[in-house]
């Protein structure tokens, strides 16, 4: 079995990489350790690089299409990872998950309609609807014993007839929560009852830690399958976000017809040559690499947690159940927001995401 090397340090400077090359512009200091953009510093796996190189050797980059091999690689991978049998007609390429959320907002809501999110959450969930002049309704997560829970009572209280869409982060960024089946099915029940479409962003789903199970939203109940759109991607998992390749899965016929028609009318369902090649390679050859990468990041996450427990116990972590993000609760440091940012940037030399961008909590 091939052992992949995750220790190698690769200089990303000068590659127009947001995380490194925009440090000066965003933080005013190019020397900070860049931990702010959610991509990894591991080499994109060799089997993906090889597939792209091989395609490059052909030297004609004309119009292309998503072949059966592309769709089958997704169908087989989703079955292998999540024991979910999906059909080709449920699938469409989309050019990125945040863009997918924006298309869903555009397709299923009108200006003034309400979109529900559960902060603290990945900031585009709030910004994307707001920038399209939709009202964002918040149903904040509850922090219970250091882990987040959904507040269904409050959800029922904030829903009104203008609420059209609910954007779910599963697993959850930033808390790293892998939602339980019962939680998701309760959510589906409420949303179905109020005729609210659920957009389930499952970009972190392939990096769930071994002791947890990720349930793709439509698999938890019939209600969930008939009120939702699920977005997944190999880009975050295999460190190839710049290639831009994601997909939507929609079991429900009517939702599928509306959304796929929206995409098709704008040719948003057409991927690039490299998106298709990289996805096929990731999903055909990626299982072993992913296994090793996941163990490596679990070690790193545990290192952070242990270090904080021993050295800075005032900073609490939500112990992630998936992916490579660690959410730090710094409230016990008793610093103002300005002092906290200064501590991390000026003293510790770290470029982190400022927690306030994730909203309440
Ligand atoms: C929850 C979540 N969704 C979406 C994205 C970005 O996905 P994409 O690059 O496909 O838009 C990220 C990246 O950090 C994320 O954490």
């Amino acid at each position: 079995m091939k052992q992949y090397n995750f220790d190698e340090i690769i200089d990303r400077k000068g590659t127009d990489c947001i995380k490194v090359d925009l440090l000066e512009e965003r933080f005013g200091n190019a020397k900070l350790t860049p931990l702010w953009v959610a991509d990894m510093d591991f080499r994109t796996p060799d089997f993906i690089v090889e597939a792209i190189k091989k395609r490059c050797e052909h030297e004609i980059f004309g119009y292309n299409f998503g072949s059966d091999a592309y769709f089958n690689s997704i169908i087989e991978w989703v079955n292998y990872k999540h024991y979910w049998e999906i059909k080709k007609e449920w699938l469409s390429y989309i050019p990125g998950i945040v863009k997918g959320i924006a298309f869903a907002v555009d397709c299923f809501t009108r200006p003034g309609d309400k979109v529900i999110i559960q902060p603290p959450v990945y900031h585009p969930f709030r910004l994307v609807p707001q920038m399209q002049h939709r009202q964002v309704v918040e149903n904040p997560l509850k922090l219970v014993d250091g882990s987040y829970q959904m507040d269904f009572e409050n959800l029922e209280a904030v829903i009104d007839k203008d609420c059209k869409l609910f954007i779910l982060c599963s697993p959850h960024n930033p808390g790293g929560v892998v939602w339980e089946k019962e939680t998701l099915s309760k959510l589906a029940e409420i949303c179905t009852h109020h005729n609210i479409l659920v957009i389930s962003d499952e970009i972190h789903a392939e990096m769930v830690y071994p002791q947890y199970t990720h349930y793709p939203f439509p698999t938890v109940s019939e209600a969930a399958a008939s009120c939702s759109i699920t977005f997944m991607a190999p880009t975050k998992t295999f460190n190839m976000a710049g290639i831009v390749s994601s997909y939507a899965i929609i079991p429900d016929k009517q939702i599928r017809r509306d959304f796929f028609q929206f995409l098709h009318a704008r040719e948003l369902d057409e991927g690039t040559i490299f998106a298709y090649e990289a996805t096929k390679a990731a999903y055909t050859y990626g299982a072993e690499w992913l296994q090793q990468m996941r163990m490596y990041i679990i070690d790193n996450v545990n290192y952070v947690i242990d270090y904080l427990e021993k050295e800075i116990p005032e900073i609490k972590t939500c112990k992630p159940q998936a992916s490579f993000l660690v959410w730090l609760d710094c409230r016990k440091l008793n610093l103002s927001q300005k002092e906290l940012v200064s501590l991390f940037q000026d003293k510790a030399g770290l470029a982190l995401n400022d927690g306030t961008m994730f909203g309440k909590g």
Side-chain angles (χ1 to χ4, degrees):
M1 192 207 315
K2 179 166 178 172
Q3 282 301 319
Y4 291 96
N5 176 10
F6 298 99
D7 286 331
E8 187 186 6
I9 292 172
I10 302 168
D11 187 1
R12 297 178 68 180
K13 262 196 224 94
T15 61
D16 293 352
C17 142
I18 294 181
K19 186 166 159 182
V20 176
D21 290 327
L22 291 188
L23 273 175
E24 177 72 45
E25 187 184 308
R26 301 287 167 89
F27 291 85
N29 181 356
K31 294 211 169 76
L32 299 178
T33 301
L35 299 172
W36 59 300
V37 174
D39 61 26
M40 301 183 283
D41 295 310
F42 303 140
R43 187 183 291 286
T44 303
D46 54 353
F47 42 89
I48 295 174
V49 176
E50 283 311 316
I52 290 171
K53 276 190 189 159
K54 188 156 170 261
R55 184 60 187 81
C56 282
E57 277 165 15
H58 185 263
E59 298 182 355
I60 298 180
F61 305 134
Y63 289 115
N64 61 295
F65 66 99
S67 65
D68 281 346
Y70 163 74
F71 286 106
N72 286 337
S73 73
I74 297 174
I75 291 168
E76 281 171 27
W77 179 262
V78 170
N79 194 3
Y80 155 72
K81 280 307 290 176
H82 310 299
Y83 308 106
W84 185 23
E85 282 182 31
I86 56 170
K87 300 196 172 114
K88 186 182 169 191
E89 65 260 31
W90 298 1
L91 275 172
S92 172
Y93 171 88
I94 49 164
I97 289 188
V98 174
K99 296 182 197 79
I101 292 171
F103 303 151
V105 168
D106 203 5
C107 176
F108 294 102
T109 70
R110 296 288 152 261
D113 282 349
K114 294 180 178 170
V115 176
I116 307 173
I117 63 167
Q118 303 197 113
V121 74
Y122 181 54
H123 51 291
F125 283 27
R126 173 174 47 86
L127 296 175
V128 164
Q130 275 178 349
M131 285 192 284
Q132 295 192 66
H133 309 290
R134 273 58 168 179
Q135 298 183 63
V136 172
V137 172
E138 300 193 339
N139 178 46
L141 295 170
K142 291 188 295 190
L143 194 55
V144 181
D145 297 332
S147 184
Y148 284 109
Q149 292 180 3
M150 293 189 197
D151 187 343
F152 291 121
E153 217 174 293
N154 190 61
L155 180 61
E156 295 270 21
V158 296
I159 289 178
D160 65 21
K161 61 169 187 17
D162 295 328
C163 293
K164 299 284 166 23
L165 218 60
F166 181 105
I167 313 178
L168 169 70
C169 199
S170 175
H172 180 248
N173 170 4
V177 185
V178 176
W179 300 112
E180 287 178 357
K181 194 174 176 184
E182 294 67 34
T183 303
L184 296 173
S185 91
K186 176 82 186 154
L187 179 65
E189 197 186 303
I190 296 174
C191 288
T192 305
H193 183 246
H194 294 280
N195 212 10
I196 294 172
L197 177 68
V198 177
I199 306 298
S200 187
D201 173 345
E202 304 193 5
I203 198 168
H204 293 278
E206 296 165 2
M207 295 179 284
V208 166
Y209 300 172
Q211 64 272 45
Y212 301 97
T213 304
H214 171 78
Y215 295 97
F217 188 74
T219 65
V220 301
S221 67
E222 267 180 40
S226 53
C227 76
S228 64
I229 296 178
T230 300
F231 292 142
M232 291 185 174
T235 45
K236 187 128 322 232
T237 317
F238 292 97
N239 210 27
M240 51 176 212
I243 296 218
V244 183
S245 181
S246 338
Y247 49 94
I249 311 176
I250 314 180
D252 182 81
K253 209 169 166 187
Q254 187 60 48
I255 302 172
R256 192 162 71 222
R257 201 180 297 153
D258 292 348
F259 194 55
F260 288 179
Q261 162 68 19
F262 177 97
L263 296 175
H264 197 59
R266 293 156 181 80
E267 294 193 355
L268 294 167
D269 52 358
E270 294 180 7
T272 66
I273 290 172
F274 299 111
Y276 292 139
E277 289 301 331
T279 300
K280 278 189 288 183
Y283 284 172
T284 308
Y285 306 112
E288 180 54 36
W289 184 91
L290 173 55
Q291 192 74 352
Q292 292 181 30
M293 185 277 280
R294 209 172 44 155
M295 297 322 285
Y296 192 95
I297 57 170
I298 290 173
D299 271 355
N300 281 358
V301 166
N302 285 337
Y303 177 86
V304 173
I305 293 171
D306 289 347
Y307 181 87
L308 290 173
E309 274 174 6
K310 282 194 203 104
E311 307 292 336
I312 323 175
E314 295 84 0
I315 300 182
K316 303 274 176 236
T317 52
C318 269
K319 291 200 171 82
Q321 301 167 347
S323 202
F324 50 80
L325 307 169
V326 186
W327 180 236
L328 306 176
D329 180 349
C330 303
R331 286 174 292 187
K332 289 238 164 70
L333 290 175
N334 284 323
L335 299 174
S336 69
Q337 181 64 16
K338 206 165 155 225
E339 288 166 335
L340 182 64
V341 169
S342 168
L343 172 70
F344 280 126
Q345 283 174 30
D346 306 331
K347 276 194 141 172
L350 302 177
L352 302 178
N353 287 98
D354 182 342
T356 55
M357 72 167 63
F358 295 79
K360 277 190 194 122

